[in-house]
Amino acid sequence: ADLTGNPPADWDARRVQGYFVWAFFVVAELRGTNRALEAALDAVFASELSVHGAPPFRAVPADGAVREELLEAYLGAMERLDD
């Protein structure tokens, strides 16, 4: 599914945002390998999204503490799926 336009029906805005934050941290570890791809991803990370009619939100929040909290929540949800 396209998370920016057609996320899974059971994914709320927080989970979608958590996914983008997780991707942001993954890309941060790979910086310097493909500038064009990094620039395209940076544009996605800075974009405004709306999921299932929820109020718009930035894919990756500028606030580092909020990013960390979203990452922890997302990873916790993924761990529960593995159980």
Side-chain angles (χ1 to χ4, degrees), residues 7-75:
D10 61 339
W11 280 40
D12 63 9
R14 184 173 173 82
R15 186 168 178 184
V16 170
Q17 192 175 33
Y19 175 85
F20 281 105
V21 170
W22 170 80
F24 172 84
F25 281 103
V26 170
V27 170
E29 294 299 317
L30 302 171
R31 292 268 173 203
T33 59
N34 186 322
R35 290 185 183 164
L37 181 57
E38 292 163 17
L41 287 167
D42 287 341
V44 171
F45 296 150
S47 67
E48 291 288 318
L49 307 175
S50 182
V51 175
H52 305 303
F57 57 91
R58 184 177 169 157
V60 177
D63 184 319
V66 173
R67 283 194 308 256
E68 291 286 340
E69 189 271 325
L70 284 164
L71 178 64
E72 289 179 27
Y74 178 77
L75 293 176

